Amino acid sequence: MDGSVGPMRVLVTGGSGLVGRAIERVVKTEGKEREGEEWIFLSSKEANLVSAEETRAAFEKHRPTHVIHLAAMVGGLYKNMRQNLDFWRNNVHINDNVLHTSQEFGVVKVVSCLSTCVFPDKTTYPIDETMMHNGAPHDSNYGYAYAKRMIDVHNRALFQQYGLKYTAVIPTNMFGAHDNYNIEDGHVMPGLIHKTYLTYLAKKEGKPLQVWGSGRALRQFIYSLDLARLFLWVLREYDEVEPIILSVGEEDELTVKDAVDAVVEAFGFEGEVIYDTSKSDGQIKKTANNAKLRKYLPDFKFTPFKQAVKETCDWFVANYDTARK
């Protein structure tokens, strides 16, 4: 794929976020950068991609041949529930600007990042790539979910009308260094890591760790470095327009309580853990099938969950003052 157009100039939108920083680390420190490649990691400080003008200016400046599109307005369950309109409008603008400008500038391939929340709320499990448009998403974050679905619509139309092979990946719950650890608005794992760390620091007070929800919700967690390695494979090798789920297998699905236990163990927290069942669990399960990924990459090894959690907690402690929170 990449050999036919000479050296790749890869523009990564959302380059300073969780996945962008993981891709940067894999490219720069794991020797995954190929000769003649150039990687540009674009942050929201450099260009507000909600603006068509700023998006165009970034493409004028960098002239990419390939784009990894990660930029989005994101947030956890409770922020989504409060701001569905903002999530819809901002993400629709960002995605249309990036995909349309990529087409205008002759970008060979765009790999966009979706989320398992694009799938219908009422569905059969496990979910696979063919089921995205089979019903309405969960009502807690429908604005974000529909905006992400529209990337798939846009990609299919680009292929039909112009023959462009733009595609998308659908990761399950990702976590790792450089996440947003905001307790109110972050995703489940980073919010949990921050809250547990603060409770651990205040252990002299003997306060319990309070977890929102029942802890029964099921999730498949993917470490950001594993996801980054898979993104590189999709960019270079995956040749379908249809999206691909990037996830650990169904057998590795965990409860939120399992995640809490892993974080508690990583910090050595020995206090009481209380589950606040007055708070929403969100979707109880959204089990994804990774058979398509395994067909392509049967031998890919995911980082063991507890090891990934420990590395993430250690990073958070070491970078507490500068981490997003």
Side-chain angles (χ1 to χ4, degrees), residues 1-42:
M1 179 83 215
D2 48 311
S4 60
V5 292
M8 288 206 298
R9 283 173 63 80
V10 188
L11 180 69
V12 182
T13 72
S16 61
L18 169 67
V19 185
R21 294 297 288 266
I23 291 173
E24 185 173 22
R25 179 171 155 188
V26 167
V27 166
K28 302 282 192 244
T29 67
E30 292 189 7
K32 302 291 187 192
E33 190 167 12
R34 294 185 179 173
E35 196 176 336
E37 279 182 2
E38 190 178 342
W39 288 79
I40 301 127
F41 293 88
L42 191 72

Side-chain angles (χ1 to χ4, degrees), residues 289-309:
N289 181 338
N290 73 348
K292 186 175 183 178
L293 173 65
R294 282 305 185 198
K295 185 187 79 175
Y296 279 107
L297 296 176
D299 300 323
F300 183 84
K301 289 199 169 35
F302 289 94
T303 307
F305 179 67
K306 283 189 175 179
Q307 178 190 329
V309 169

Side-chain angles (χ1 to χ4, degrees), residues 272-285:
E272 188 186 2
V273 180
I274 294 172
Y275 290 86
D276 180 355
T277 53
S278 70
K279 296 282 199 298
S280 171
D281 282 317
Q283 273 177 285
I284 282 294
K285 67 182 280 171

Side-chain angles (χ1 to χ4, degrees), residues 40-89:
I40 301 127
F41 293 88
L42 191 72
S43 78
S44 55
K45 290 189 180 73
E46 296 166 78
N48 174 11
L49 300 177
V50 174
S51 155
E53 292 74 22
E54 289 195 36
T55 306
R56 191 175 177 81
F59 276 72
E60 286 274 12
K61 180 180 177 184
H62 298 296
R63 296 277 167 178
T65 62
H66 294 66
V67 172
I68 291 179
H69 175 37
L70 309 172
M73 177 185 177
V74 296
L77 171 65
Y78 302 102
K79 184 175 181 181
N80 269 280
M81 287 167 74
R82 291 194 308 270
Q83 293 176 249
N84 266 299
L85 178 62
D86 299 337
F87 278 94
W88 161 255
R89 294 196 68 224

Side-chain angles (χ1 to χ4, degrees), residues 196 199-200 203 207-209 264-265 267-273:
T196 306
T199 310
Y200 171 75
K203 60 187 170 190
K207 285 185 179 166
L209 171 63
V264 161
E265 184 182 316
F267 282 119
F269 176 71
E270 293 171 354
E272 188 186 2
V273 180

Side-chain angles (χ1 to χ4, degrees), residues 151-164 241:
I151 290 178
D152 182 57
V153 172
H154 200 137
N155 285 345
R156 289 169 190 273
L158 279 169
F159 180 66
Q160 183 188 27
Q161 209 164 321
Y162 296 102
L164 289 169
V241 173

